[in-house]
Amino acid sequence: MRRALSSGLFVVQLLAFPGPAPAAAPPPAARPQSPDQIASAARVMTTSVLLDHVRMLAADDKQGRAPGTVGEERTVAYLVGQFKRLGLAPGHPDGTYVQTVPLIGFTGQASAAFEVKGAAVPLAVPDDAVVVSRQGLPDVQVSKSAMVFVGYGVVAPEFEWDDFKGADVRGKTIVMLAGDPPVPDPANPAALDAKTFKGAALTYYGRWTYKYEMAARRGAAAAVIVHETGPAGYPFDVVKASWGRENFGIAGPDEASRHAPVDAWVTLDRAKALFAACGLDFEALKARAATRAFKPVPLGATASFTVKNAIRSISSRNVIARLEGRDPALKHEHVIYSAHWDGFGVNRALQGDQILNGALDNGSGMATMLAMAEAFTRLEGGTKRSVLFFSPTAEESAMLGAKYYAEHPLWPLESTLADINMDIMNFWGRTKAIVSIGYGMTTLDDLLVTEAAKQGRIVRPDPEPEKGYFYRSDHFELAKQGVPALHFLHPGAEYRDRPPDFGQRMRDRYTADDYHKVSDEVKPDWDLSGAVEDAQLLFGVGLAVAQGAAYPEWKPGTEFRAIRAARLKAK
């Protein structure tokens, strides 16, 4: 704070003889911090700080934080207010803390019908099938479209895999299985082949977003994914809750071409009934689909869909703040901490409580990001590189805010060293081991191992790789553009003073009871001591990148290595 001038004469002289304002003194140059200085800054991240932020972000007045609602207004105001309180600079070069993201919101009423030889296969929406249209049109109809089973809907040249085999599916309804093809290991048929689709770990080919993208590219009229809880990573009720509300897309002239007219999920039971009505053995075809020899199978059935959308235009916002680096040669380079702010809003169809507060998803991630931002502002000597604190919109609608930033970056991606993403933190106690989602993909994991060792902890790979968490949060959109990413979600692996299966039980309980439900609220039995340790850990990783001599890298064999190399070469 500047001291007030005490001399009236000096003020008069300044007014009488105006001249150029004196240049602001540059901040002192960044310098390496001692372990004690780093620990001192990290100590501002406490359980009470984290809990206070979560209480505010998951409060009923935030109305579940849905984009385009009063919940967005209040959430963005809270984040911007906190960034200003901390003295962080606006993250947008235009001098604001927001990047406008043009969205369309659509709420659909849908019907669906399968027919085999003139006979209807019973199909109720949304209990048997969930149906949406993402083309931004008010009325969509698909009438008696021929149905074709295309296995897993995958074309992966690197694995010599093509489920379409040149089949023309234009105007047809393609039916696909969830997940990656489960290819048996030739040496051990009871296990999966780790050299093909990463074995048990889900790849992007197994994500629903990829499958619908393939349907659009090939001109399909509709794409239907057969839901199974294991490959999907969540029960069908989650699909109903997520897709049965208002959904969002990026507004733009090309968006309609990125989607087939209809995207749908169908329950496993209804899919089996459909195949049986067609005289086909679902399990036999599913087994065949796990081989390279699979060819598309016409079902001899037709599908009809109607979708009536209520559509509105939304000017949503990514929120971003910046701590400028102090090295003149490096301050144009950035490390990003990200955590999405959006949630599922209010479900008026429910009786009683209707607010999906989103305390863990993702109040916990935002709280950690805000606490980390405060720690960086307390860091004596600052950092060489700049640090961005980035909270995107519409993560729950296929990561649209992060996608928009990745395609319209405010700061060059070739000079963005890393994105450390936080989504659903560990609020169940201290751990001996932590999980890195996508472990082994980047050299950021090497830094994570080093920092964890300072806490007497170890790093383990994702215990549920088949659920594809790496492809399910905002960092993925930046990764697709080549930015090395570290993703934290459900990080607890081995808890201190708890049974070995405690972490898995907590994750399973959360998924079953609270995930995307009104019950995702602040809980009286939370233990945030582990979340504090995790925040301090990620603080150390980001600091090492901001101060380090080397750029983080994708490791050989990862799908994002080539695009990163191309960006750095162009730079």
Side-chain angles (χ1 to χ4, degrees):
M1 181 181 294
R2 291 183 178 177
R3 183 177 300 168
L5 295 174
S6 58
S7 170
L9 177 61
F10 184 52
V11 174
V12 171
Q13 287 176 330
L14 284 176
L15 293 173
F17 302 100
R31 62 180 185 275
Q33 290 87 11
S34 69
D36 286 345
Q37 290 172 324
I38 295 171
S40 177
R43 276 195 289 272
V44 305
M45 298 182 285
T46 65
T47 58
S48 61
V49 166
L50 291 177
L51 187 57
D52 286 347
H53 283 311
V54 174
R55 287 189 189 281
M56 293 298 295
L57 291 161
D60 282 354
D61 75 299
K62 301 302 186 298
Q63 294 288 289
R65 306 190 304 270
T69 68
V70 67
E72 169 167 356
E73 298 299 324
R74 292 170 179 170
T75 303
V76 169
Y78 181 78
L79 291 172
V80 171
Q82 292 300 308
F83 289 146
K84 287 181 177 180
R85 177 183 68 83
L86 296 174
L88 292 168
H92 198 305
D94 70 0
T96 70
Y97 290 91
V98 299
Q99 178 188 36
T100 300
V101 181
L103 299 178
I104 56 169
F106 53 93
T107 306
Q109 296 293 322
S111 64
F114 297 159
E115 190 174 299
V116 181
K117 297 177 182 179
V121 176
L123 192 67
V125 175
D127 292 332
D128 298 328
V130 175
V131 179
V132 301
S133 177
R134 302 178 185 276
Q135 290 191 322
L137 301 174
D139 292 288
V140 176
Q141 290 192 1
V142 173
S143 180
K144 294 187 181 297
S145 169
M147 302 184 76
V148 182
F149 176 58
V150 294
Y152 288 85
V154 170
V155 177
E158 69 272 32
F159 299 129
E160 299 180 347
W161 199 279
D162 181 0
D163 281 332
F164 289 89
K165 304 292 194 300
D168 184 358
V169 297
R170 287 175 294 181
K172 298 177 181 178
T173 294
I174 61 174
V175 180
M176 297 171 281
L177 300 171
D180 291 314
V183 181
D185 186 339
N188 179 14
L192 297 181
D193 184 0
K195 297 179 180 178
T196 309
F197 300 107
K198 297 184 180 179
L202 189 75
T203 72
Y204 189 55
Y205 295 117
R207 288 285 291 142
W208 60 266
T209 49
Y210 169 83
K211 296 175 189 293
Y212 292 142
E213 287 166 6
M214 288 298 293
R217 287 179 206 157
R218 291 176 176 267
V224 177
I225 299 175
V226 178
H227 180 272
E228 293 187 73
T229 298
Y234 35 75
F236 191 74
D237 282 348
V238 171
V239 181
K240 287 172 58 178
S242 300
W243 289 34
R245 61 184 179 92
E246 182 179 35
N247 281 270
F248 302 94
I250 295 175
D254 299 328
E255 278 306 298
S257 65
R258 295 190 184 191
H259 306 281
V262 168
D263 293 338
W265 290 85
V266 65
T267 64
L268 179 60
D269 286 346
R270 286 296 86 201
K272 288 182 175 180
L274 169 66
F275 279 60
C278 296
L280 298 169
D281 185 328
F282 176 84
E283 293 297 339
L285 285 177
K286 181 180 175 181
R288 193 191 309 171
T291 70
R292 290 182 175 86
F294 172 83
K295 293 181 181 180
V297 179
L299 295 182
T302 63
S304 298
F305 303 95
T306 62
V307 183
K308 294 187 179 298
N309 279 324
I311 297 174
R312 64 186 179 120
S313 296
I314 299 166
S315 183
S316 193
R317 285 154 293 182
N318 291 332
V319 186
I320 187 165
R322 183 172 184 256
L323 180 69
E324 186 170 65
R326 296 188 181 179
D327 187 324
L330 296 177
K331 66 181 183 180
H332 69 285
E333 298 180 347
H334 293 85
V335 179
I336 296 178
Y337 284 97
S338 59
H340 73 89
W341 63 256
D342 67 297
F344 287 100
V346 178
N347 186 346
R348 303 293 182 190
L350 298 178
Q351 298 295 318
D353 187 3
Q354 297 177 327
I355 299 174
L356 291 92
N357 301 82
L360 279 182
D361 186 15
N362 188 33
S364 65
M366 282 186 287
T368 305
M369 181 188 68
L370 290 171
M372 205 156 316
E374 184 166 2
F376 270 96
T377 64
R378 302 288 186 90
L379 191 62
E380 186 176 343
T383 55
K384 295 179 181 179
R385 296 181 176 87
S386 298
V387 184
L388 297 176
F389 302 95
F390 176 45
S391 194
T393 182
E395 189 270 354
E396 301 291 5
S397 294
M399 304 164 288
L400 297 180
K403 178 181 178 66
Y404 190 82
Y405 182 91
E407 295 179 352
H408 306 84
L410 300 180
W411 304 93
L413 296 185
E414 59 270 20
S415 300
T416 301
L417 275 69
D419 176 26
I420 300 172
N421 187 61
M422 294 159 287
D423 195 343
I424 308 180
M425 303 301 287
N426 165 35
F427 277 22
W428 301 310
R430 297 178 63 215
T431 65
K432 296 179 288 185
I434 48 92
V435 167
S436 172
I437 305 297
Y439 181 75
M441 296 181 75
T442 78
T443 56
L444 290 168
D445 283 319
D446 302 333
L447 295 176
L448 186 67
V449 169
T450 298
E451 294 299 319
K454 296 177 184 178
Q455 297 179 325
R457 299 200 289 169
I458 60 174
V459 180
R460 295 206 185 280
D462 184 0
E464 302 173 296
E466 70 282 359
K467 294 184 178 178
Y469 286 128
F470 189 83
Y471 307 97
R472 289 168 54 177
S473 196
D474 294 305
H475 65 285
F476 177 55
E477 292 297 334
L478 291 169
K480 288 197 293 186
Q481 300 297 328
V483 177
L486 181 67
H487 179 41
F488 248 57
L489 179 147
H490 282 344
E494 297 174 21
Y495 282 75
R496 298 183 187 276
D497 304 318
R498 296 286 192 176
D501 67 341
F502 178 78
Q504 188 64 52
R505 285 194 286 111
M506 292 299 100
R507 287 190 294 273
D508 290 345
R509 187 182 75 177
Y510 174 74
T511 300
D513 297 345
D514 298 327
Y515 183 54
H516 294 181
K517 295 182 173 69
V518 296
S519 55
D520 189 1
E521 299 179 301
V522 174
K523 306 286 190 184
D525 63 343
W526 276 351
D527 179 351
L528 276 67
S529 58
V532 168
E533 286 188 327
D534 291 344
Q536 293 170 343
L537 171 61
L538 295 182
F539 174 69
V541 173
L543 179 60
V545 177
Q547 300 285 62
Y551 271 36
E553 297 177 349
W554 293 101
K555 293 190 175 180
T558 51
E559 55 263 55
F560 314 109
R561 184 177 171 88
I563 190 171
R564 182 62 166 178
R567 282 191 180 278
L568 294 182
K569 184 177 180 180
K571 175 186 174 184

